[in-house]
Amino acid sequence: MSDRIYLSPPDMSTAERDSLMAAFDSGWVAPVGPHLKAFEDGLCAVTGAAHAVALSSGTAALHLALLEAGVGEGDRVYCSTLTFVASVNAIRYCGAEPVLIDCEARSWQMCPNLLADLLKRDAAAGQLPKAIQVVDVYGQCADYAAIEALCLEYGVTIIEDASEALGATHGQRGAGSIGKVAALSFNGNKLITTSGGGALLTNEASIAEHARYLSTQARKPVREYLHEDTGYNYRMSNLLAGLGQGQLSRLEGMIKRRREIFSRYAGELQAEGVSFMPEASWGQCNRWLTCLTLQDAGCTSLELIEALERENIEARPVWRPMHRQPVCEKYERILNGVSDRLYETGLCLPSGSVMSDEQQSRVIAVAKRCLQM
Ligand SMILES: *Cc1c(COP(=O)(O)O)cnc(C)c1O
């Protein structure tokens, strides 16, 4: 059997080994140190956000982002339904309740029309949400021109879950710099990884400072241990920030490679009933994963996933929307059928920046056979 081809494995080189060892050799193994600051500065440079706080996971970053937006017990938070469960878990950690909003077909991102109707309804009922958590799903920014105009009109805060979208853009702005507070993830399967990690981004110095405080057990700057707030142990370690510096130095090339992989799939798998996630007119997608739907095509998405698995190739369905998760059973949902269709007909192909041309040829050959091309 040939080597397994994974969906999105870590992409490591000597640059990461060197930067990790530099952090180690500097003696700043824990907790904080100069590599953490340098990694955060690098994240600001890439995204355009003014401040970054490196944390232990993307989920931790979302949790703190929600707390910084004032989300608490009993609040309602609008959230994209097409996402990974971490987005709604973070809302639940705050004791708040997600309200799930469907996506639009042209970008796969939160649908501004559904959002407009919902804001109008909730404003009339005097129950506007505390915040809107917009997910830049599969590495593409949502339609922020429309969403920001609505949020301005109703005075609602935007939290951006840019976990999958590092390096993606909306106009001149980078993903993660758009919401009042945003989260990035450096989990093992994301664009870049610190073997587990995340970051909170914001343009407001006071938010960054307060998030940093909450991430280190809310310790007051005095000698004796003094705590006036409930804090968390969420800070990234300086060693892992060293690893992150190496990854960040290669980000541009890694995005280029992911986009190349996408273009080749899209070029070679043109057939009746096959549609790839469209790139929206407002920005550039990082093509974290190549996603496509098969509707009245030569095979179903499940048949293709199974055919690939038989050849030792990992492929996955599109996210099962949150409104179809038992854990979200009791939450309100505003649906238009798009995320259901994407889930039922969609899949993600191996897209890692380490994948070789030969490996991609193997994936394409299996897909062509299954699609009867
Ligand atoms: C990966 C991911 C997260 C969580 O990030 P972790 O670093 O795994 O905690 C949150 N939201 C979305 C949309 C993600 O894809």
Side-chain angles (χ1 to χ4, degrees):
M1 185 68 116
S2 339
D3 286 347
R4 184 159 177 80
I5 302 176
Y6 291 96
L7 191 70
S8 179
D11 176 354
M12 293 291 153
S13 72
T14 51
E16 287 78 4
R17 196 188 166 85
D18 291 348
S19 60
L20 174 62
M21 288 315 291
F24 182 89
D25 292 338
S26 74
W28 293 96
V29 169
V32 295
H35 300 84
L36 201 53
K37 172 75 168 66
F39 181 49
E40 291 173 342
D41 289 348
L43 292 172
C44 291
V46 165
T47 60
H51 305 277
V53 182
L55 300 167
S56 54
S57 72
T59 311
L62 275 179
H63 185 192
L64 294 187
L66 287 154
L67 293 176
E68 294 302 335
V71 172
E73 204 66 38
D75 286 330
R76 295 162 72 246
V77 177
Y78 294 177
C79 183
S80 317
T81 194
L82 185 69
T83 187
F84 177 57
V85 71
S87 308
V88 298
N89 279 346
I91 296 171
R92 288 152 49 88
Y93 298 164
C94 300
E97 190 175 307
V99 177
L100 305 167
I101 303 183
D102 217 322
C103 48
E104 53 170 11
R106 65 170 182 164
S107 68
W108 296 26
Q109 311 301 316
M110 183 186 279
C111 175
N113 297 332
L114 292 183
L115 176 63
D117 293 347
L118 187 59
L119 282 168
K120 193 170 165 190
R121 187 202 76 183
D122 282 353
Q127 53 155 11
L128 281 170
K130 191 75 182 190
I132 300 183
Q133 185 174 285
V134 183
V135 182
D136 299 327
V137 77
Y138 293 121
Q140 170 148 273
C141 285
D143 182 0
Y144 286 108
I147 294 172
E148 283 180 311
L150 286 166
C151 288
L152 196 64
E153 183 183 341
Y154 288 96
V156 179
T157 302
I158 298 176
I159 295 166
E160 185 184 1
D161 183 352
S163 292
E164 303 172 1
L166 180 62
T169 57
H170 183 282
Q172 297 303 307
R173 296 185 295 172
S177 73
I178 297 164
K180 178 172 173 155
V181 202
L184 295 173
S185 167
F186 313 123
N187 190 26
N189 62 355
K190 296 285 157 67
L191 225 93
I192 70 167
T193 185
T194 54
S195 81
L200 176 147
L201 303 177
T202 179
N203 289 321
E204 294 179 32
S206 57
I207 290 182
E209 191 187 339
H210 193 257
R212 203 166 275 133
Y213 158 78
L214 286 183
S215 74
T216 48
Q217 305 286 23
R219 192 156 58 92
K220 290 283 169 191
V222 294
R223 182 177 298 120
E224 63 277 14
Y225 297 100
L226 176 66
H227 304 274
E228 294 171 350
D229 298 294
T230 302
Y232 303 87
N233 184 4
Y234 278 175
R235 198 76 163 110
M236 179 180 279
S237 95
N238 191 63
L239 267 192
L240 296 184
L243 181 56
Q245 282 180 284
Q247 287 269 278
L248 211 47
S249 74
R250 296 175 50 234
L251 177 67
E252 214 180 290
M254 293 197 284
I255 293 176
K256 190 165 160 272
R257 178 66 187 144
R258 296 231 185 206
R259 287 181 60 86
E260 242 170 50
I261 288 168
F262 169 83
S263 297
R264 184 167 169 216
Y265 280 134
E268 297 215 31
L269 299 176
Q270 284 183 41
E272 189 67 27
V274 178
S275 335
F276 290 81
M277 180 176 88
E279 183 160 45
S281 57
W282 51 76
Q284 184 173 286
C285 180
N286 67 18
R287 293 297 181 189
W288 170 51
L289 298 179
T290 289
C291 312
L292 64 160
T293 56
L294 305 181
Q295 261 183 301
D296 303 316
C299 66
T300 66
S301 54
L302 196 62
E303 283 165 349
L304 179 49
I305 290 169
E306 284 170 352
L308 290 165
E309 190 56 57
R310 283 193 294 275
E311 299 296 328
N312 208 16
I313 297 168
E314 182 186 24
R316 291 286 179 90
V318 164
W319 296 130
R320 176 196 282 263
M322 291 306 112
H323 67 270
R324 295 173 70 151
Q325 300 291 354
V327 79
C328 292
E329 214 168 46
K330 61 179 193 289
Y331 301 130
E332 187 181 359
R333 66 264 338 259
I334 311 296
L335 304 178
N336 57 15
V338 175
S339 62
D340 281 330
R341 179 176 63 78
L342 297 177
Y343 169 62
E344 284 158 12
T345 65
L347 76 156
C348 308
L349 294 174
S351 308
S353 43
V354 277
M355 183 165 65
S356 67
D357 290 339
E358 294 68 34
Q359 287 178 315
Q360 192 177 8
S361 299
R362 258 176 68 198
V363 181
I364 290 170
V366 177
K368 281 188 167 167
R369 213 182 318 132
C370 198
L371 285 161
Q372 301 163 47
M373 292 172 68

